[in-house]
Amino acid sequence: MINARIRSFAFAGIEARPVWVEVQISSGLPAFLIVGLPDKAVGEARERVRASFTSIGLALPAKRIVVNLVPADIPKEGSHFDLPIALALLAAMTVIPFEAVAPFAAVGELSLDGRLNPVAGVLSCAIEAATMRMGLVCPQVQGEEALCGGDIAILASPDLLSLINHFNGVQILTPPDFSVTDTRSAPVAVLPDLADIKGMETGRRALELAAAGGHSLLLSGPPGTGKSMLAARLPGLLPDLTHRESLEVSRIYSAAGLLTDGKPLRRPPYREPHHSASQAALIGGGAKARPGEISLADHGVLFLDELPEFSKAALEALRQPLETGQVSIARAMARVTYPARFQFVAAMNPCRCGYLGDATKECKKAPRCGEDYAARLSGPLLDRIDISLAMQPFTPLSYMTEAGGEPSAPVAHRVQEARNRQYARQNGIRNAEASLDVLLISQSAEEMAQKIATRFRFSARGYTRLLRVARTIADLAGSEGVASVHVAEAATYRLRAGQT
């Protein structure tokens, strides 16, 4: 006989799967068992629940207690099962009325003194609870996060005792206030400004194109030519996330336990992992599959500095996500899929010593060292990069005499206007993912693109990406259609990849 049960959730990627937490208290030798494929963190809930009960003056009955997590064939991982186990036990012990807690699902970790600690995945749980037309009980600090999941009842409590008093009608928990998530009241992050960059007009132009169309970008050149400096200023040119994008990115960060203060992300994320990052860190996975850097950069920027220094396996694993916008991680027991629609930006030196082409600095292995270094990057990976730019070195004297460039604010305004044109024409899709039939390409522009693609032996993918960049150039110019001049400029960024 089941004395009480309550809903909770297990996770598969960023998706929350409903789970029943059943409790049976029966006669027999005192025991506290948790079954249903729990991991070590779930098994340790016994001691956290016992200690939290003791801290508020309750004791577990000296009977056989069995907690069953249903369905039993789904692995249960994480400390968020503490709270539903505790609430189901309290209902089974008639400390709280079962009718009061039944309309709610619950997630939360218990401290030994009964406080509720934040857990990963609350936003996904709230979204799933909304589809089930249930409320959600969660830690107080994550109340705002849960509110983003839908129009549901949220009980955000600081501790277990407050929940007991609420369900018994002794006190009322104040619902979290959604108004505090208003971006107007949030502090504005200070981002690097383009005004810091002197000269580098071609680089600034390529950066603006990449920002306007969401295009991938490869910057190559000797050390000190401003590659990393340019890339760091890309986030300041990007518009805020839309509501749909914010919800998707926030779910990923919530599942990874990285959502700061339980507040949803409003700005595109910017991730720059070190080149020593493993394939699992970059793509996702591990013993317990977790989102990788490409998923944490969803609807934002993934910047890989010193691109050829990354492991070949990690780089080749980028190819599928760059095309599909998602990554699937297969394991013997499960398969999870994470969103990964990121903007790929990379920087590299021309060779390992970095000074290929400079007779005063290049190493004795030139030009062979440059060929070997470039061979670390496969053709299929380079074919997926929309804009390639060779950065030119400049002298300290020219840097000191150059005037500061245009600030980020007016460039970001042009980027926003170009994005608005794209979204209106393509139903919310950026140029980097748009199909050719919506790009409004003139006949002359199409003929020029075909000649360029034939002359330089572009792949079908390369031809498509050429026209997408041309579309972005036209959007920045305020042009309704794509003209030959736009294709000609786009071709200069395509040919810099060394395709001959």
Side-chain angles (χ1 to χ4, degrees):
M1 175 183 178
I2 299 172
N3 298 104
R5 67 178 186 171
I6 188 173
R7 280 288 192 184
S8 189
F9 302 95
F11 296 105
I14 63 171
E15 302 295 329
R17 295 181 177 179
V19 170
W20 281 113
V21 178
E22 302 176 338
V23 170
Q24 182 187 67
I25 301 177
S26 59
S27 301
L29 293 175
F32 191 164
L33 305 175
I34 299 179
V35 298
L37 213 57
D39 73 346
K40 187 173 178 59
V42 180
E44 291 172 346
R46 292 189 298 266
E47 303 309 319
R48 290 191 291 271
V49 170
R50 193 190 306 273
S52 61
F53 276 27
T54 301
S55 69
I56 59 177
L58 291 175
L60 292 175
K63 294 185 177 182
R64 181 180 176 83
I65 300 172
V66 178
V67 176
N68 184 32
L69 308 177
V70 182
D73 59 338
I74 297 178
K76 318 301 188 307
E77 302 174 351
S79 58
H80 64 279
F81 285 103
D82 291 3
L83 182 57
I85 290 173
L87 291 177
L89 267 171
L90 291 170
M93 295 163 58
T94 67
V95 175
I96 59 175
F98 176 72
E99 297 77 12
V101 73
F104 291 91
V107 288
E109 178 187 306
L110 286 171
S111 288
L112 299 184
D113 59 359
R115 286 179 292 125
L116 294 182
N117 298 324
V119 294
V122 167
L123 179 53
S124 293
C125 295
I127 292 173
E128 184 62 27
T131 63
M132 299 165 61
R133 300 183 181 277
M134 300 186 72
L136 183 69
V137 184
C138 66
Q140 185 179 51
V141 296
Q142 295 181 293
E144 300 168 29
E145 178 182 344
L147 275 176
C148 298
D151 185 17
I152 60 174
I154 303 294
L155 290 182
S157 176
D159 51 50
L160 188 60
L161 183 58
S162 298
L163 278 175
I164 294 174
N165 291 336
H166 175 86
F167 286 125
N168 284 319
V170 177
Q171 74 177 74
I172 300 297
L173 288 173
T174 304
D177 184 5
F178 190 75
S179 63
V180 297
T181 64
D182 191 345
T183 55
R184 291 173 295 181
S185 63
V188 179
V190 179
L191 298 172
D193 198 287
L194 273 175
D196 303 331
I197 297 179
K198 299 181 179 181
M200 299 168 56
E201 296 303 324
T202 306
R204 295 168 63 94
R205 173 65 171 172
L207 196 70
E208 184 175 345
L209 287 174
H215 300 291
S216 51
L217 173 65
L218 174 62
L219 303 171
S220 61
T225 51
K227 303 184 294 295
S228 301
M229 192 175 183
L230 266 178
R233 278 143 185 81
L234 179 57
L237 306 182
L238 300 177
D240 290 340
L241 297 172
T242 65
H243 175 71
R244 179 187 61 81
E245 293 170 345
S246 175
L247 187 62
E248 182 176 296
V249 177
S250 298
R251 286 186 72 183
I252 298 171
Y253 274 70
S254 175
L258 299 176
L259 205 58
T260 306
D261 298 328
K263 289 181 169 54
L265 276 69
R266 302 297 186 185
R267 292 290 304 160
Y270 181 77
R271 306 291 298 185
E272 45 180 344
H274 190 261
H275 59 74
S276 61
S278 66
Q279 180 178 343
L282 199 62
I283 304 302
K288 298 178 180 178
R290 292 290 184 268
E293 292 291 337
I294 64 172
S295 296
L296 296 175
D298 187 50
H299 293 296
V301 178
L302 176 70
F303 175 53
L304 301 187
D305 201 3
E306 308 297 345
L307 183 64
E309 299 295 337
F310 283 80
S311 73
K312 188 173 182 62
L315 291 179
E316 293 306 305
L318 293 174
R319 287 159 52 177
Q320 182 187 11
L322 280 170
E323 287 291 322
T324 63
Q326 63 182 22
V327 58
S328 296
I329 302 170
R331 294 292 180 267
M333 296 291 293
R335 179 187 179 91
V336 297
T337 299
Y338 292 108
R341 195 166 295 282
F342 59 95
Q343 185 172 355
F344 181 51
V345 179
M348 62 176 289
N349 294 323
C351 61
R352 181 173 289 278
C353 73
Y355 297 102
L356 183 67
D358 186 341
T360 62
K361 291 184 177 181
E362 66 182 8
C363 65
K364 297 179 180 180
K365 295 182 179 179
R368 180 61 182 273
C369 65
E371 297 172 357
D372 293 342
Y373 200 63
R376 291 171 176 261
L377 306 177
S378 69
L381 177 62
L382 291 175
D383 198 39
R384 287 166 166 81
I385 296 177
D386 299 337
I387 301 173
S388 295
L389 183 66
M391 306 287 291
Q392 300 302 320
F394 48 87
T395 65
L397 179 60
S398 64
Y399 178 77
M400 295 301 294
T401 55
E402 283 277 3
E406 187 180 19
S408 291
V411 180
H413 180 69
R414 293 197 298 268
V415 167
Q416 180 67 72
E417 289 184 334
R419 286 283 184 101
N420 292 341
R421 295 186 185 100
Q422 296 167 46
Y423 294 158
R425 181 180 60 247
Q426 295 150 197
N427 195 24
I429 298 176
R430 300 178 302 178
N431 286 339
E433 294 105 29
S435 58
L436 294 185
D437 57 351
V438 299
L439 298 184
L440 302 180
I441 304 164
S442 67
Q443 183 175 353
S444 61
E446 187 173 355
E447 290 174 355
M448 174 179 279
Q450 290 172 355
K451 290 179 181 179
I452 293 172
T454 302
R455 167 66 178 83
F456 295 99
R457 302 171 62 188
F458 286 179
S459 66
R461 180 190 293 115
Y463 172 74
T464 301
R465 291 177 182 266
L466 170 69
L467 291 176
R468 287 171 175 171
V469 174
R471 177 67 262 180
T472 300
I473 295 171
D475 284 332
L476 284 172
S479 174
E480 182 68 22
V482 178
S484 300
V485 65
H486 304 136
V487 173
E489 183 182 352
T492 63
Y493 298 114
R494 192 76 196 171
L495 298 179
R496 289 181 188 274
Q499 298 178 359
T500 58

